[in-house]
Amino acid sequence: MKRILMIAVLCCGAIAAMGQIERPKLVVGVIVDQMRWDYLYYYYEDYGNDGIKRLLREGFSCENTMITHVPTVTAIGHSSVYTGSVPYFTGIAGNGFMIDGKPVSSCDDMSVDGVGTSGKAGHRSPRNMLATTIGDELKQAFDFECKVMGVAIKDRASILPAGHSADAAYWWDSEVGHFVTSSYYMDRLPGWVEKFNRRYNTEPKFDLNTSNLGVTYTFRMAEAILENEKLGQGKYTDLLAVSVSSTDAIGHTYSTRGRENYEVYMQLDKELAHFFNELDKRVGRGNYLLFLTADHGAAHNPNFMKEHNQPAGGWDAGLARKSINKAVEDELGVSNVVKAIYDYRIYLNDSIIESNDIDKNQVKEIALNVLKQDKDLILAVDYEKVEQASIPSFLKERIINGYHRGRSGDIFVMTRAGYLPFKVKDDYKGTTHSAWNPYDSHIPLVFMGWHITPGETTIPTRMVDIAPTVCSMLHIQMPNSCIGEPIQLGSKK
């Protein structure tokens, strides 16, 4: 009898122990816009000990993390990190795309008003995104009693990561020179945000995006959120999504090399060190799970590459548009059938095609014949016929993943490696991104903090694996359109 009682007691104790699900107090996601994977090491000797070096020293680095969609741009990257999905399912087909034939920005929402601004920057929400995020799943798991917040200079970099059920998302409106939000989240700015804005502000029209100050202000705001919203202090796991936007704007303007890019990454390193210290103080070292990644990388400047005898250049999309329009007009007698070209996608003008009662497939064929004669392109394909095209399977996957019917256009093109999607002048100093190539799709991914054992892996991992990894560690459901798989991080058991 005593033995039976002892077994019963032990079983009850085991069940009770199993009932205590261990979770971090806070999840922190940091996305560095346009951070190439090699920036972890290119600037390594100049980093301080407590920023990126600490991240690599204490964290687990997934050294072979790739983006599996094209185009590789900011809105898609930010949404994919937090949904574990791709445009095919999320509907976030680019920074800008078409809905019902009308151009929109990824977070446009005229049904909401600005809070902290009366300008157009306030008409923003996550409603164009058709999938849930890590934060949305946290909210569901904890009966909407945890806190989820986002902050960035760019609206899309704050809104999309925070998700649909976020308590707040804050972004910078250069028209007023401070952080704002929209009525999707609240009716007025909290008092602490108004106080923050009085201390940290700029003159209207000042471009904070192309200033190192943008990095500093982003992290000061993130730290203010930690303090005033008491993230990581409640009963349930909270989430803070932070995105650094200035690295992208500076990269676009000055490219991947030189003083400006160096200085912004030195500033990033300094601010990360300060931010890690604040997390240690406010949440507790080992009590938060943090990951750092990027939404995309960037190509080196074509003129810089050519100086060193490496293949590079630019594709003249404007000339391609004129050539397609002329070919269609010559053959079918209809003009201006190309509505837009951006991010390697060609949008045909459906209203013109329909009003002239011509076959859209015929227009596509004419366009494809023109594009296939372009020496700067290695691929031009009808989005609806990618599966049947004679192209490598990994490219098919990325093109299909990046396509959302009704939003992504009609034809996808691919330039030669090192070629940007616009004509490059001899004095051009900047760069861009959106291609499949490793310079755009190979991104950093480092986890640090709660239950993370230091180390690294070169086993292939993907951007879409980030969300299911975090959710698996938290023992919550992955986002509802997630296609990724949890990464083995060497987590403590």
Side-chain angles (χ1 to χ4, degrees):
M1 184 67 177
K2 288 182 178 179
R3 185 179 179 185
I4 293 173
L5 288 172
M6 181 63 71
I7 292 172
V9 169
L10 289 172
C11 287
C12 290
I15 292 170
M18 289 174 64
Q20 301 298 314
I21 303 298
E22 194 174 358
R23 294 186 174 101
K25 293 182 178 179
L26 177 67
V27 173
V28 181
V30 179
I31 295 181
V32 183
D33 205 321
Q34 203 186 117
M35 185 176 184
R36 292 166 52 107
W37 164 81
D38 57 355
Y39 288 166
L40 289 175
Y41 306 104
Y42 181 71
Y43 297 123
Y44 186 84
E45 297 302 323
D46 292 329
Y47 290 142
N49 288 325
D50 301 322
I52 291 175
K53 283 185 178 178
R54 174 183 170 184
L55 185 72
L56 293 171
R57 184 173 64 247
E58 297 183 9
F60 188 92
S61 182
C62 301
E63 295 282 289
N64 192 16
T65 301
M66 304 296 290
I67 298 171
T68 55
H69 61 252
V70 283
T72 48
V73 296
T74 296
I76 301 178
H78 280 76
S79 60
S80 291
V81 166
Y82 284 87
T83 63
S85 195
V86 290
Y88 189 93
F89 298 106
T90 68
I92 300 300
N95 295 332
F97 44 89
M98 301 281 184
I99 296 181
D100 298 327
K102 297 178 180 179
V104 300
S105 179
S106 58
C107 294
D108 278 354
D109 186 351
M110 293 305 296
S111 73
V112 300
D113 296 318
V115 175
T117 179
S118 58
K120 62 182 181 180
H123 300 300
R124 302 288 186 266
S125 86
R127 288 192 174 114
N128 289 334
M129 183 167 62
L130 309 178
T132 63
T133 62
I134 300 170
D136 292 326
E137 297 302 324
L138 268 177
K139 286 285 191 178
Q140 293 178 40
F142 303 136
D143 295 324
F144 300 89
E145 293 187 22
C146 63
K147 288 186 177 181
V148 174
M149 299 189 173
V151 60
I153 300 300
K154 293 181 182 178
D155 52 32
R156 56 186 175 269
S158 173
I159 293 168
L160 298 174
H164 299 275
S165 296
D167 298 276
Y170 299 105
W171 56 94
W172 190 268
D173 181 3
S174 61
E175 294 295 317
V176 294
H178 60 233
F179 280 104
V180 302
T181 188
S182 79
S183 59
Y184 179 89
Y185 304 98
M186 61 191 73
D187 295 328
R188 62 166 295 169
L189 291 174
W192 69 263
V193 176
E194 293 178 339
K195 181 178 179 181
F196 180 95
N197 281 341
R198 286 193 292 272
R199 180 177 180 183
Y200 297 96
N201 60 77
T202 66
E203 291 294 322
K205 310 285 187 181
F206 176 78
D207 186 7
L208 192 65
N209 239 335
T210 55
S211 167
N212 293 347
L213 198 61
V215 182
T216 300
Y217 279 20
T218 299
F219 281 106
R220 290 298 87 76
M221 184 61 168
E223 291 159 7
I225 292 172
L226 278 176
E227 177 183 1
N228 291 280
E229 298 293 346
K230 303 189 184 312
L231 296 191
Q233 307 299 319
K235 181 179 179 181
Y236 301 106
T237 303
D238 297 322
L239 183 144
L240 176 60
V242 182
S243 182
V244 180
S245 304
S246 294
T247 44
D248 181 68
I250 289 171
H252 277 295
T253 306
Y254 302 105
S255 190
T256 59
R257 293 292 185 263
R259 177 179 59 83
E260 293 85 1
N261 203 62
Y262 171 84
E263 288 180 351
V264 75
Y265 276 90
M266 292 305 102
Q267 190 68 32
L268 170 68
D269 182 59
K270 177 182 175 182
E271 298 302 344
L272 280 171
H274 190 277
F275 185 52
F276 294 160
N277 186 55
E278 286 296 304
L279 287 166
D280 291 343
K281 288 193 302 182
R282 298 191 180 281
V283 185
R285 198 174 184 123
N287 288 330
Y288 58 89
L289 172 64
L290 180 143
F291 66 84
L292 180 144
T293 189
D295 52 350
H296 54 74
H300 292 308
N301 175 271
N303 293 321
F304 167 79
M305 296 293 278
K306 287 190 287 187
E307 285 175 10
H308 298 278
N309 299 317
Q310 297 196 27
W315 173 58
D316 193 339
L319 178 60
R321 180 176 184 169
K322 290 179 182 177
S323 298
I324 294 170
N325 281 336
K326 183 178 186 304
V328 172
E329 186 170 10
D330 289 346
E331 190 162 338
L332 302 178
V334 178
S335 58
N336 297 319
V337 295
V338 177
K339 189 167 189 174
I341 301 179
Y342 45 82
D343 293 338
Y344 299 108
R345 300 167 302 181
I346 297 175
Y347 291 79
L348 298 178
N349 195 320
D350 288 334
S351 62
I352 288 178
I353 292 172
E354 291 169 5
S355 64
N356 284 275
D357 195 26
I358 57 176
D359 184 356
K360 187 173 183 178
N361 287 322
Q362 191 176 3
V363 175
K364 287 182 183 179
E365 283 301 315
I366 296 170
L368 289 169
N369 286 334
V370 170
L371 294 166
K372 288 175 181 178
Q373 298 175 43
D374 193 324
K375 61 182 177 59
D376 294 331
L377 296 177
I378 61 172
L379 170 69
V381 63
D382 181 344
Y383 261 127
E384 296 288 345
K385 297 180 180 179
V386 174
E387 192 61 49
Q388 293 78 42
S390 298
I391 57 178
S393 58
F394 82 94
L395 288 180
K396 286 184 182 180
E397 178 187 5
R398 295 184 186 202
I399 295 168
I400 292 170
N401 283 346
Y403 176 63
H404 190 93
R405 184 176 286 111
R407 295 189 178 189
S408 294
D410 302 285
I411 294 172
F412 179 80
V413 301
M414 185 179 296
T415 60
R416 297 162 58 184
Y419 277 63
L420 305 187
F422 49 78
K423 186 176 181 180
V424 173
K425 297 181 180 180
D426 291 341
D427 60 351
Y428 178 63
K429 302 296 184 183
T431 191
T432 193
H433 50 85
S434 62
W436 72 270
N437 308 76
Y439 47 77
D440 280 352
S441 63
H442 187 192
I443 56 174
L445 174 58
V446 189
F447 293 84
M448 185 184 81
W450 183 83
H451 283 201
I452 296 297
T453 301
E456 65 177 46
T457 182
T458 56
I459 294 173
T461 51
R462 304 167 297 169
M463 172 181 276
V464 293
D465 295 334
I466 298 171
T469 300
V470 173
C471 291
S472 176
M473 294 182 71
L474 298 181
H475 296 284
I476 65 172
Q477 182 63 277
M478 63 183 67
N480 65 10
S481 296
C482 181
I483 63 171
E485 300 177 354
I487 303 166
Q488 297 300 314
L489 297 175
S491 303
K492 296 177 183 176
K493 299 296 184 183

Coordinates of all heavy atoms in Angstrom, one line a residue, residues 244-274:
V244 N 15.7 48.5 -37.5 CA 16.6 49.6 -37.7 C 16.6 50.0 -39.2 O 17.0 49.2 -40.0 CB 18.1 49.3 -37.3 CG1 19.0 50.4 -37.5 CG2 18.1 48.8 -35.8
S245 N 16.0 51.2 -39.5 CA 15.8 51.5 -40.9 C 16.9 52.3 -41.5 O 17.1 52.3 -42.8 CB 14.5 52.4 -41.0 OG 13.4 51.7 -40.4
S246 N 17.7 53.1 -40.8 CA 18.7 54.0 -41.3 C 19.8 53.3 -42.1 O 20.4 53.8 -43.0 CB 19.3 54.8 -40.2 OG 18.4 55.7 -39.7
T247 N 20.1 52.0 -41.7 CA 21.1 51.2 -42.4 C 20.7 51.0 -43.9 O 21.5 51.0 -44.7 CB 21.3 49.9 -41.7 OG1 20.0 49.3 -41.4 CG2 22.1 50.0 -40.4
D248 N 19.4 50.9 -44.1 CA 18.9 50.7 -45.5 C 19.0 52.0 -46.3 O 19.5 52.0 -47.4 CB 17.4 50.3 -45.5 CG 16.9 50.0 -46.9 OD1 17.3 49.1 -47.5 OD2 16.0 50.8 -47.3
A249 N 18.5 53.1 -45.7 CA 18.6 54.4 -46.5 C 20.0 54.8 -46.8 O 20.3 55.3 -47.9 CB 17.8 55.5 -45.7
I250 N 20.9 54.6 -45.8 CA 22.3 55.0 -46.0 C 22.9 54.1 -47.0 O 23.7 54.5 -47.9 CB 23.0 55.0 -44.6 CG1 22.6 56.2 -43.8 CG2 24.6 55.0 -44.8 CD1 23.0 56.2 -42.4
G251 N 22.6 52.8 -47.0 CA 23.1 51.9 -48.0 C 22.6 52.2 -49.4 O 23.4 52.2 -50.3
H252 N 21.4 52.6 -49.5 CA 20.9 53.0 -50.8 C 21.6 54.2 -51.4 O 21.9 54.3 -52.6 CB 19.4 53.3 -50.8 CG 18.5 52.1 -50.8 ND1 18.4 51.3 -52.0 CD2 17.6 51.6 -49.9 CE1 17.5 50.3 -51.7 NE2 17.1 50.5 -50.5
T253 N 21.9 55.1 -50.5 CA 22.5 56.4 -50.9 C 24.0 56.2 -51.2 O 24.6 56.8 -52.1 CB 22.3 57.5 -49.8 OG1 20.9 57.6 -49.6 CG2 22.8 58.8 -50.3
Y254 N 24.7 55.5 -50.3 CA 26.2 55.4 -50.3 C 26.8 54.1 -50.6 O 28.0 53.9 -50.7 CB 26.8 55.9 -49.0 CG 26.3 57.3 -48.7 CD1 25.3 57.6 -47.7 CD2 26.9 58.4 -49.3 CE1 24.9 58.9 -47.4 CE2 26.4 59.7 -49.0 CZ 25.5 59.9 -48.0 OH 25.1 61.2 -47.7
S255 N 25.9 53.1 -50.8 CA 26.3 51.7 -51.1 C 26.9 51.0 -49.9 O 26.8 51.4 -48.7 CB 27.3 51.7 -52.3 OG 27.4 50.3 -52.7
T256 N 27.6 49.8 -50.2 CA 28.0 48.9 -49.2 C 29.4 49.1 -48.6 O 29.8 48.4 -47.7 CB 27.9 47.5 -49.7 OG1 28.8 47.4 -50.9 CG2 26.5 47.1 -50.2
R257 N 30.1 50.1 -49.1 CA 31.4 50.4 -48.7 C 31.6 51.8 -48.5 O 30.7 52.6 -48.8 CB 32.4 49.9 -49.8 CG 32.5 48.4 -50.0 CD 33.1 47.7 -48.8 NE 33.3 46.3 -49.0 CZ 32.4 45.4 -48.6 NH1 31.3 45.7 -48.0 NH2 32.7 44.1 -48.8
G258 N 32.7 52.2 -47.8 CA 32.9 53.6 -47.6 C 32.6 54.1 -46.2 O 32.0 53.4 -45.3
R259 N 32.9 55.4 -45.9 CA 32.7 56.0 -44.6 C 31.3 55.9 -44.1 O 31.1 55.6 -42.9 CB 33.2 57.4 -44.7 CG 33.1 58.2 -43.3 CD 33.6 59.6 -43.5 NE 33.0 60.3 -44.5 CZ 31.8 61.0 -44.3 NH1 31.2 60.9 -43.1 NH2 31.2 61.6 -45.3
E260 N 30.3 56.3 -44.9 CA 29.0 56.4 -44.4 C 28.4 55.0 -43.9 O 27.8 54.9 -42.8 CB 28.0 56.9 -45.5 CG 28.3 58.4 -45.9 CD 29.4 58.5 -46.9 OE1 30.0 57.5 -47.3 OE2 29.7 59.7 -47.3
N261 N 28.7 54.0 -44.7 CA 28.2 52.7 -44.3 C 29.0 52.2 -43.0 O 28.4 51.6 -42.1 CB 28.4 51.7 -45.4 CG 27.4 50.5 -45.3 OD1 26.2 50.6 -45.3 ND2 28.0 49.3 -45.1
Y262 N 30.2 52.4 -43.0 CA 31.0 52.1 -41.8 C 30.5 52.8 -40.6 O 30.3 52.1 -39.5 CB 32.5 52.5 -42.0 CG 33.4 52.3 -40.8 CD1 34.0 51.1 -40.5 CD2 33.6 53.5 -40.0 CE1 34.8 51.0 -39.3 CE2 34.4 53.4 -38.9 CZ 35.0 52.2 -38.6 OH 35.8 52.1 -37.4
E263 N 30.2 54.0 -40.7 CA 29.8 54.8 -39.5 C 28.4 54.4 -39.0 O 28.2 54.3 -37.8 CB 29.8 56.3 -39.8 CG 31.2 56.9 -39.9 CD 31.2 58.3 -40.3 OE1 30.1 58.9 -40.6 OE2 32.3 58.9 -40.2
V264 N 27.5 54.0 -39.9 CA 26.2 53.6 -39.4 C 26.3 52.3 -38.7 O 25.6 52.0 -37.7 CB 25.2 53.6 -40.5 CG1 25.3 52.4 -41.5 CG2 23.7 53.6 -40.0
Y265 N 27.2 51.4 -39.1 CA 27.3 50.1 -38.5 C 28.1 50.2 -37.1 O 27.8 49.5 -36.2 CB 27.9 49.0 -39.4 CG 26.8 48.4 -40.2 CD1 26.5 49.0 -41.5 CD2 26.1 47.4 -39.7 CE1 25.4 48.5 -42.2 CE2 25.0 46.9 -40.5 CZ 24.7 47.4 -41.7 OH 23.6 46.9 -42.4
M266 N 29.0 51.2 -37.0 CA 29.6 51.5 -35.7 C 28.5 52.0 -34.8 O 28.5 51.7 -33.6 CB 30.7 52.5 -35.9 CG 31.9 51.9 -36.7 SD 32.7 50.4 -36.0 CE 32.0 49.2 -37.2
Q267 N 27.6 52.8 -35.3 CA 26.5 53.4 -34.4 C 25.6 52.2 -34.0 O 25.2 52.2 -32.9 CB 25.8 54.5 -35.2 CG 24.8 55.2 -34.3 CD 25.5 56.1 -33.3 OE1 26.6 56.6 -33.5 NE2 24.9 56.3 -32.2
L268 N 25.3 51.4 -35.0 CA 24.4 50.2 -34.6 C 25.1 49.4 -33.5 O 24.4 49.0 -32.6 CB 24.2 49.4 -35.9 CG 23.5 48.0 -35.7 CD1 22.1 48.2 -35.3 CD2 23.6 47.1 -36.9
D269 N 26.3 49.1 -33.7 CA 27.0 48.3 -32.7 C 27.0 49.0 -31.3 O 26.7 48.3 -30.3 CB 28.5 48.1 -33.1 CG 29.3 47.2 -32.1 OD1 28.9 46.1 -31.9 OD2 30.3 47.7 -31.6
K270 N 27.2 50.2 -31.3 CA 27.1 51.0 -30.0 C 25.7 51.0 -29.4 O 25.6 50.7 -28.2 CB 27.5 52.5 -30.3 CG 27.5 53.4 -29.1 CD 27.8 54.8 -29.4 CE 27.6 55.8 -28.3 NZ 28.0 57.2 -28.7
E271 N 24.7 51.2 -30.2 CA 23.3 51.2 -29.7 C 22.9 49.8 -29.3 O 22.1 49.6 -28.3 CB 22.4 51.7 -30.8 CG 22.7 53.2 -31.1 CD 22.6 54.2 -30.0 OE1 22.1 53.8 -28.9 OE2 23.2 55.3 -30.1
L272 N 23.3 48.7 -30.0 CA 23.0 47.4 -29.5 C 23.6 47.1 -28.2 O 22.9 46.5 -27.3 CB 23.5 46.4 -30.6 CG 22.7 46.1 -31.8 CD1 23.5 45.3 -32.8 CD2 21.4 45.5 -31.5
A273 N 24.8 47.5 -27.9 CA 25.4 47.3 -26.6 C 24.6 48.0 -25.5 O 24.4 47.4 -24.5 CB 26.9 47.9 -26.6
H274 N 24.2 49.2 -25.8 CA 23.3 49.9 -24.8 C 22.0 49.3 -24.6 O 21.5 49.1 -23.5 CB 23.1 51.4 -25.3 CG 22.5 52.3 -24.3 ND1 21.2 52.4 -24.1 CD2 23.1 53.2 -23.4 CE1 20.9 53.3 -23.1 NE2 22.1 53.8 -22.7

